[in-house]
């Protein structure tokens, strides 16, 4: 039997969709890192392990149920999992949660990209319009193309993030000792408790990405492939989160207001400015573009799967997907108008709180129980 190439495996493609949804510009800029982790001091550097544990559990149960029951869109998912009466209500809640995620996560994508590209003479719409067009093209041919494209973009993102982290730590002028000794930027006490709560809230917010991952669950062969996808996604995401958080933590006493998104909207750019490597700045711009595309395309594909039947009057399937994508990314562009600081401090928290009740608790109880039953029946 021919041995399968590791880089061609379906589970890495699904893991890449998770990473692509998570690794939007809010993450790539370092804004998420300083808001949820770095400001709590050195203890915050360990919190991504907890945050992604919350997200990973939701990812596994939701994606495995979607794979095993053929419900890659969340409306048939809720009707299957929660039955018709409860399912109809939960479907509406999921619609609102998904659209709020599109506005917030997509808005962060456009806002983050705009904050970077405006340094190079681009306008807001100069960054937004090409993103909408390319994301629409990525979604025209469905889950297989998105999974494949996200997988290759994932490899590039991993390499660039690690490159930036290594060069910043090798050649940068930072003070790790002072950062460890300094009091946390956050003045909330007890600091550890708030750091843990912040990580859990972030994990709940990022759990909404499960809609993106569920939309490509049809390419997974079995339960074992789902496990591999979630484990791979967890490991890669945590490594990148800690790499960015640690890099920024080293500079927290060197760069004033690094943890204040209202003053320093793109923390990674502030660090790169200290290095003096102009070519690395351009590499970061490329990273941002990849992050925007994977994040926006993942959200758009999930929306195409969910809202496909609402646009039945458009007979051409590819045109239908393109129209849905443009509408969804238009909502994201509207979200960006609220500004990066508002989306980071208020938008993500609101979605996180809603996600606890609407997504996280049900995933760890009801959906978990039903995936176990399905697994026992198949065995």
């Amino acid at each position: 039997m021919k041995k399968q190439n590791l880089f061609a495996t379906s589970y890495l493609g699904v893991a890449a969709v998770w990473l692509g949804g998570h690794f939007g510009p809010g993450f790539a800029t370092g804004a998420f890192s300083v808001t949820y982790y770095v400001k709590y001091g050195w203890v915050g550097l360990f919190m991504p392990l907890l945050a992604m544990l919350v997200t990973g559990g939701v990812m596994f149960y939701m994606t495995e149920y979607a794979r095993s029951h053929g419900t890659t869109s969340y409306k048939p998912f809720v009707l299957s999992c929660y039955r018709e009466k409860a399912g109809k209500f939960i479907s509406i809640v999921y619609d609102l949660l998904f659209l709020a995620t599109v506005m917030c996560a997509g808005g962060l994508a456009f806002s983050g990209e705009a904050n970077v590209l405006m340094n190079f003479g681009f306008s807001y719409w100069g960054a937004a319009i090409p993103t909408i067009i390319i994301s629409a093209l990525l979604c025209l041919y469905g889950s297989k193309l998105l999974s494949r494209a996200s997988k290759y973009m994932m490899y590039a993102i991993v390499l660039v993030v690690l490159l930036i982290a290594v060069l910043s730590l090798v050649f940068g002028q930072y003070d790790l000792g002072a950062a460890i000794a300094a009091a946390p930027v956050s003045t909330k006490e007890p600091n550890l408790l708030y750091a843990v709560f912040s990580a859990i809230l972030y994990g709940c917010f990022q759990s909404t990405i499960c809609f993106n991952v569920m939309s490509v669950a049809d390419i997974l062969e079995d339960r074992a492939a789902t496990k591999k996808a979630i484990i791979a996604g967890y490991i890669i995401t945590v490594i990148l989160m800690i790499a960015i958080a640690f890099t920024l933590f080293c500079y927290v006493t060197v760069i004033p207001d690094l943890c204040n998104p209202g003053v320093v909207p793109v923390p990674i750019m502030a660090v790169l400015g200290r290095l003096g490597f102009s070519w690395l700045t351009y590499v970061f711009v490329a990273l941002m573009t990849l992050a925007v595309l994977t994040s926006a395309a993942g959200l758009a594909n999930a929306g195409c799967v969910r809202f496909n039947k609402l646009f039945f009057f458009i007979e051409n399937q590819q045109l239908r997907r393109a129209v849905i994508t443009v509408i969804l990314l238009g909502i994201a562009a509207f979200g960006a108008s609220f500004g990066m600081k508002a989306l980071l401090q208020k938008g993500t928290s609101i979605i996180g709180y809603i996600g606890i009740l609407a997504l996280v608790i049900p995933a760890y109880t009801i959906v978990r129980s039903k995936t176990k039953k399905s697994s026992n029946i198949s065995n």
Side-chain angles (χ1 to χ4, degrees), residues 89-114:
F89 171 75
I90 296 173
S91 176
I92 295 173
V93 174
Y94 277 12
D95 280 340
L96 296 175
L97 183 61
F98 175 72
L99 292 175
T101 302
V102 169
M103 181 178 291
C104 185
L108 282 169
F110 291 150
S111 182
E113 180 83 337

Side-chain angles (χ1 to χ4, degrees), residues 108-337:
L108 282 169
F110 291 150
S111 182
E113 180 83 337
N115 279 324
V116 171
L117 293 182
M118 281 195 302
N119 293 321
F120 298 90
F122 285 85
S123 65
Y124 169 77
W125 287 109
I129 291 175
T131 302
I132 292 174
I133 293 173
I134 296 173
S135 298
L137 291 174
L138 280 175
C139 290
L140 286 180
Y141 295 95
S143 60
K144 289 185 178 180
L145 176 62
L146 175 62
S147 171
R148 191 178 301 118
S150 294
K151 185 161 57 176
Y152 290 117
M153 285 191 282
M154 177 188 73
Y155 300 145
I157 286 171
V158 170
L159 289 174
V160 172
V161 168
L162 294 179
L163 176 65
I164 289 175
V166 170
L167 292 179
S168 298
L169 296 175
V170 172
F171 297 102
Q173 301 295 321
Y174 58 89
D175 194 337
L176 177 58
I180 294 174
V185 174
S186 173
T187 57
K188 294 181 178 180
E189 293 291 347
N191 185 64
L192 177 60
L193 181 62
Y194 276 103
V196 169
F197 178 75
S198 179
I200 293 174
L201 187 62
Y202 183 79
C204 293
F205 165 67
Q206 290 295 344
S207 293
T208 59
I209 301 171
C210 72
F211 297 136
N212 302 25
V213 181
M214 286 167 59
S215 72
V216 295
D218 55 329
I219 70 171
L220 293 167
E221 299 84 4
D222 50 31
R223 186 182 179 91
T226 307
K227 284 184 179 179
K228 290 179 182 178
I230 302 308
I231 291 172
Y234 176 85
I235 292 172
I236 296 169
T237 303
V238 166
I239 289 173
L240 295 184
M241 289 174 72
I242 292 177
I244 289 182
F246 181 72
T247 300
L248 293 170
F249 176 73
C250 290
Y251 286 85
V252 76
T253 59
V254 177
I255 301 176
D257 296 312
L258 184 64
C259 293
N260 185 346
V263 178
V264 184
V266 187
I268 288 291
M269 282 285 283
V271 171
L272 294 180
R274 296 260 173 168
L275 292 178
F277 296 152
S278 58
W279 63 270
L280 190 59
T281 302
Y282 289 107
V283 171
F284 174 69
V285 172
L287 167 67
M288 283 290 298
T289 303
L290 290 175
V292 169
L293 290 178
T294 53
S295 181
L299 287 169
N301 185 68
C304 286
V305 173
R306 166 63 186 92
F307 300 114
N308 183 60
K309 291 184 179 179
L310 293 179
F311 290 79
F312 65 91
F313 51 89
I314 302 178
E315 295 183 2
N316 185 289
Q317 182 68 17
Q318 293 178 358
L319 178 60
R320 188 186 306 174
R321 292 179 68 88
V323 169
I324 295 172
T325 298
V326 170
I327 292 173
L328 290 174
L329 297 185
I331 293 173
F334 172 73
S337 66

